[in-house]
Amino acid sequence: MPVVTPEKLATLQQHADDIRNICILAHVDHGKTSLTDTLLATNGIISPKLAGKIRYLDSRPDEQIRGITMESSAISLYFSMLRRPTPEAAPAPKEYLINLIDSPGHIDFSSEVSTASRLCDGAVVLVDAVEGVCSQTVTVLREAWTEKLKPLLVINKVDRLVTELKMTPGEAYIHLSKLLEQVNAVLGSFFQGERMEEDLNWRERMDERVAAAAVKETKLGDIESDAADLQFEERDDEELYFAPEKNNVIFSSAIDGWAFTVRQFASLYEKKLGIKRSIMEKVLWGDFYLDPKTKKVLGRKHLKGRNLKPMFVQLVLEQVWAVYQATTGGDHGKGDPALLEKITKSLNITIPPHIARSRDPRLLLTTVISSWLPLSTALLVSVVESLPSPKVAQVERLPELLEDSPGSTHIDPLVRDAMVHFKTSKSDPVVAYVSKVVSIPESELPENKRRAGQLSAEEARELARKKRAEFARAQAAESNGMEDLATALDTANLDDFNSDVQEKPIDPEHLIGFARMFSGTLSVGDSLYVLPPKFTPANPHATPEPQKVTVTSLYMLMGRNLESLNSVPAGVVFGIGGLDGKILKSGTLCSQLEGSVNLAGVNMAGKPIVRVALEPVNPGDLDKMIEGLKLLVRSDPCAEYEQFASGEHVLLTAGELHLERCLTDLKERFARCDIQAGEPIVPYRETIVRVDEMRPPANKELGRGAVVGVTNSKQVSITIRVQPLPANVTEFLLKNPGALKRLYSERNALEKAEQESEVDGEQQSIDEDDDLIEGKGLSSDELKKELQTSLESGKGRESWKGIIDKIAAFGPRRIGPNLLIDATKDGYFPKVFAPEKQEDGSTPRAGEALQAAHLCDKITYAFQLSMNQGPLCNEPVQGVAVIIEDLTVAPTDEEASARDRLGRLTGEVIKTVQQCIRQGFLDWSPRLMLAMYSCEIQASTEVLGRVYEVLTRRRGHVLSEQMKEGTPFFTIQSTIPAAESFGFADEMRKRTSGAAQPQLIFAGFEVVVDEDPFWQPFTEDDLEDLGELADRENVAKRYMDGVRRRKGLLVEGRGQRVAAEKQKTLKR
């Protein structure tokens, strides 16, 4: 295979029409990296014999050991094919540059998929022919859909249908057509959802127009004609789907190095059957049959009872199956030499003698079939013909992408035009998007790498000296005699010994941006603005002010290597240096600040959920560890770092495997010191429920959950009632935090600027920023209407009627799923859904006497604190309504003004309200909610029992079990608590001998253990069954005590002695 030089690739970057930017997306272990290997072999980067085995783009040692990709990596490939410039002209060779990004398939690294897809114009989606559509397949198809990438489907591992499932060609055809239907069904569901949303928006617009026309008192006829003009456009979804006749489906086996499209076989049979290629392409897949006598193509209805095979089976699959039969079939898998000879003659393939003589049937198979149907040709021809060039793709993708970006109306028309119409000259504005930042050791940068065979004389002498020393040591080790040992000791030089033990020189890390050019041309030395992810062109000088950077270096990404470039035109995926400390995770680079565009609002699929406290083994390395953590957070799209008030340094990661990779990087590259990780910190939630068996209420007169609190100074008394919220209300509030943020920021905007405190101002800006990123949510009126519907529907709705106008706050952090309700007679509290701005009575005027309204903001603050730290184990609360029924301030004889008394009372009121909420909470039956993972496992029938055994042991709950038709595999959907998930994947692999691989996705919080942590037997039946000590483990209490112990809170019942005779006396 010819080796393509970087200079050749750099010249191809200038021809935008001949560039294809593609990413390879799939579920874990569906063959992405093996497929990429075969493509790399065409460029002479690796040997064709090693393709599929070496996994070249898995450049990290842990990726090679585990056999999965953890980081997306890019490489540029050269491809040349014969094309006709015009239909009549003779074919001429045409050269293409394919920028390929290989992405991970594991759920923990789904953020890497998000970053890769924004850089590309097309996606190659792989699906395993046996496993079919899996959870991550749906995720990556959705990613391609939202990013408007044109997809190409590769059905990989077709060889498994022959070798593992032993299917006949006819069965394989039915299996493949069902698999294609599944993939198309996923795309159809995306299309349907989008159309329903567009239909709803269209109806709303029409209603608004009709209403506006009615207000102007125009004639009814005009309204109707206006409405008739704006008919809802029905869009054809024919172009979306995968169909082999459209040449966007490839059948392949990456491990055996072959692939084909329907077009390839159509051209093979064109001359033989005398049917035009264009017709042949349309009938080679589907219910079409070849009449053996007349050589005509028949449809199903013209069969007239004859038992013919579909053309795809007869002309395509049977030929592929024959090659497998000839090489690896027959007796004892040795193949059929006569059939093989017949096949090689008809295909005009010559097998090298050393392969023909070898006893390895697999080697023979790959040689024959990859010579006949080379994978690289089928895939790269389809990529060139089916997927768009950057110029074409940007015209289709960018208008919508720019429309969804923050502050889209303020984008400079010059910038918009340059991006959409692909302007590449030096004078055009430069826009590039950095999707992630990768960390590269200094020694691996191209300017520090020596070309092969270039040693200076001094370096050569040093190398020779080291070789001689090593040889002498090896000889000394071989001889065993005492004399030799004595001689070795005499000749040993202490200085030499020390030089070996000396620490290796530290290889500093450099951050390189992983970027895509959208317009203009960028050269080394140019200056650009780095726009942070929350930047909006509506307010370009808002803090943090975008920084200006000078581009120090540009690189071509070649897998594990980089090649230096002087300039980069639009449409290219490249690496950029000089961003150290100026960019965090992702950002946009633009040559102008006013009217620039922010592309960085990438939708991250996975939020980090696993938190671990870290500390260095040697306390002196703390600074090293903190610096390393900061570097890790910059170079990992999903990792986050927090420092708790307790002084803990906490790393947040997407899952157990992601955590393992982050710790490896931290120890070996970023911090370079030993670090020990504590037990994973799993989030919990606290709630209350109404159950049949509860202790009698603490206050029988007021009812359950009601508490009367009086401050220590007896000046303020407050009546609070705590109630569980209906489940549908809690669910609604959890789904719409963005709408609650927007509501709060709108309320803040109504207040006067001088009355806004600094904290509120910061909070408002944060809320608005988050709003920009979250995009369009519910408006305040929609939120109120839907929340009212949720409150006034369902069980026990009578008690919640009219509550919507009494809501004073949401909590915790003003956006949580708990309500503070003002049920006082005079309605002291400012309401959330008030129609207009209310007078804030919490600040007393000079000389004014103390009133109940002055304490409202203190009570609201106490409510926020209580909801953020619940009574069970200081975890956030959800699904609770706190109703303030009465608030009275006792008059005093002192003549002190409200301002003087308020300062003393603030702390007392907050403390009293917190205690009341705590007592009211515990008056119900409290529950601990566990963070849950939804878990998908594919397993064969042999290991199904073991899968259930591991799930049951870890408190998993099986939701469904489906058998994949035509295969011995079951797909098991289940949930498992995050607290029990550590080591789950390893245990599952060990117990099933690697046959089952779970995929865990965070799925919210759930009451798994329906048990009160403080439950003790109190009814006669319970006391009779269990005794006073309740001789069974309270699992909820075990979880609660674990969290309390970690937080340093008091753990009740610790060290209780049960048997008195075993108790030591106090004196001893």
Side-chain angles (χ1 to χ4, degrees), residues 200-221:
L200 183 68
N201 293 341
W202 176 80
R203 286 176 197 282
E204 284 176 359
R205 281 200 306 275
M206 289 308 303
D207 291 345
E208 282 169 17
R209 290 186 70 140
V210 172
V215 169
K216 289 177 183 175
E217 297 177 353
T218 50
K219 291 176 185 175
L220 194 65

Side-chain angles (χ1 to χ4, degrees), residues 73-324:
S73 38
I75 195 156
S76 296
L77 299 176
Y78 163 84
F79 179 60
S80 174
M81 63 185 277
L82 293 170
R83 296 292 295 267
R84 293 178 192 271
T86 57
E88 297 81 29
K94 193 158 173 52
E95 296 176 332
Y96 291 92
L97 175 70
I98 296 183
N99 294 318
L100 180 143
I101 301 179
D102 180 27
S103 64
H106 196 282
I107 187 71
D108 281 11
F109 308 110
S110 51
S111 56
E112 293 273 353
V113 179
S114 306
T115 58
S117 55
R118 176 61 63 97
L119 302 177
C120 297
D121 305 313
V124 175
V125 180
L126 267 75
V127 179
D128 188 323
V130 175
E131 291 184 9
V133 176
C134 298
S135 58
Q136 275 298 94
T137 314
V138 178
T139 308
V140 298
L141 282 168
R142 185 181 289 111
E143 190 66 45
W145 175 268
T146 51
E147 288 290 341
K148 302 283 179 289
L149 302 181
K150 192 170 180 190
L152 188 66
L153 180 69
V154 177
I155 298 177
N156 195 26
K157 303 195 183 184
V158 178
D159 60 296
R160 290 180 71 188
L161 303 180
V162 190
T163 53
E164 277 182 41
L165 302 185
K166 304 279 191 287
M167 285 185 177
T168 63
E171 290 166 346
Y173 169 68
I174 294 164
H175 180 82
L176 289 171
S177 53
K178 281 183 180 171
L179 175 57
L180 200 58
E181 278 174 24
Q182 287 175 3
V183 179
N184 284 334
V186 172
L187 288 177
S189 67
F190 299 155
F191 176 78
Q192 198 63 35
E194 198 173 87
R195 294 306 285 157
M196 285 168 74
E197 192 180 339
E198 283 177 12
D199 182 41
L200 183 68
N201 293 341
W202 176 80
R203 286 176 197 282
E204 284 176 359
R205 281 200 306 275
M206 289 308 303
D207 291 345
E208 282 169 17
R209 290 186 70 140
V210 172
V215 169
K216 289 177 183 175
E217 297 177 353
T218 50
K219 291 176 185 175
L220 194 65
D222 292 347
I223 297 169
E224 284 172 0
S225 64
D226 193 22
D229 290 342
L230 292 159
Q231 284 299 317
F232 180 59
E233 293 175 44
E234 282 300 338
R235 225 171 51 189
D236 185 25
D237 60 348
E238 190 61 38
E239 286 302 308
L240 296 176
Y241 300 119
F242 294 117
E245 61 268 22
K246 288 198 275 186
N247 284 298
N248 58 6
V249 178
I250 300 168
F251 302 91
S252 83
S253 165
I255 201 77
D256 290 342
W258 60 267
F260 64 84
T261 58
V262 166
R263 178 173 290 177
Q264 273 177 281
F265 274 93
S267 58
L268 282 174
Y269 286 112
E270 183 181 15
K271 288 173 187 169
K272 200 169 185 180
L273 298 174
I275 302 171
K276 280 187 182 175
R277 193 172 99 170
S278 54
I279 297 166
M280 197 69 183
E281 280 176 28
K282 288 172 185 167
V283 297
L284 207 48
W285 174 270
D287 287 336
F288 296 102
Y289 304 85
L290 187 68
D291 190 326
K293 291 175 185 173
T294 61
K295 299 286 186 211
K296 283 186 178 176
V297 177
L298 308 173
R300 183 184 282 276
K301 58 186 176 185
H302 297 111
L303 283 178
K304 297 173 183 170
R306 283 184 295 175
N307 188 19
L308 296 179
K309 295 173 186 171
M311 286 177 71
F312 191 75
V313 175
Q314 188 182 352
L315 303 180
V316 180
L317 293 183
E318 283 189 354
Q319 319 310 317
V320 176
W321 259 241
V323 176
Y324 275 88

Side-chain angles (χ1 to χ4, degrees), residues 1038 1040-1051 1054:
R1038 190 185 79 204
M1040 182 183 82
D1041 287 349
V1043 180
R1044 292 184 74 89
R1045 205 170 286 120
R1046 193 191 78 230
K1047 292 185 175 181
L1049 303 170
L1050 175 69
V1051 178
R1054 185 173 52 180

